[in-house]
Amino acid sequence: MIGIGIIVAAGLLHVAVRQLVGKVIDKPVPAVGHVQLAEPITLENGSVQTQRIAPLVDPQTGQQVVTLPRSTLFFIPVRFWPILLVLGGVFFVVGNLTSGS
């Protein structure tokens, strides 16, 4: 029964990965960096600001740089976990069938 449960969990995880990981969790994020200001700015609270945060632009193409985050669990991308779970579930099912005979 454990093996079948693991295989069902792998199917549910596969659906969740297809629906969430590529579209919601790992969507491209604009890269930002610190840019030195020409002259320091004194803020209302009295602190001096010498840098500002600005989007990073590729100097060759002029396009904004984006980062592509990757969801992992124990250094294995989440999209591969359903496969590993199916293999583990099959291992449990086969092991249970052979030991029960």
Side-chain angles (χ1 to χ4, degrees):
M1 293 302 281
I2 292 174
I4 294 171
I6 292 174
I7 292 171
V8 169
L12 293 173
L13 180 62
H14 174 72
V15 170
V17 166
R18 296 286 297 228
Q19 293 298 316
L20 295 176
V21 172
K23 299 173 185 171
V24 177
I25 298 172
D26 286 345
K27 64 182 177 182
V29 178
V32 294
H34 294 279
V35 177
Q36 191 71 27
L37 294 173
E39 291 185 25
I41 299 172
T42 304
L43 302 175
E44 294 175 2
N45 62 2
S47 63
V48 177
Q49 181 177 350
T50 59
Q51 298 178 349
R52 67 177 174 89
I53 296 176
L56 295 177
V57 177
D58 186 358
Q60 294 177 347
T61 63
Q63 298 289 326
Q64 185 175 4
V65 178
V66 294
T67 58
L68 299 172
R70 296 286 175 229
S71 296
T72 61
L73 179 65
F74 301 118
F75 306 105
I76 299 173
V78 173
R79 68 179 184 272
F80 295 131
W81 277 101
I83 297 167
L84 296 175
L85 286 177
V86 165
L87 293 175
V90 168
F91 174 77
F92 274 105
V93 168
V94 169
N96 209 9
L97 291 175
T98 58
S99 66
S101 302

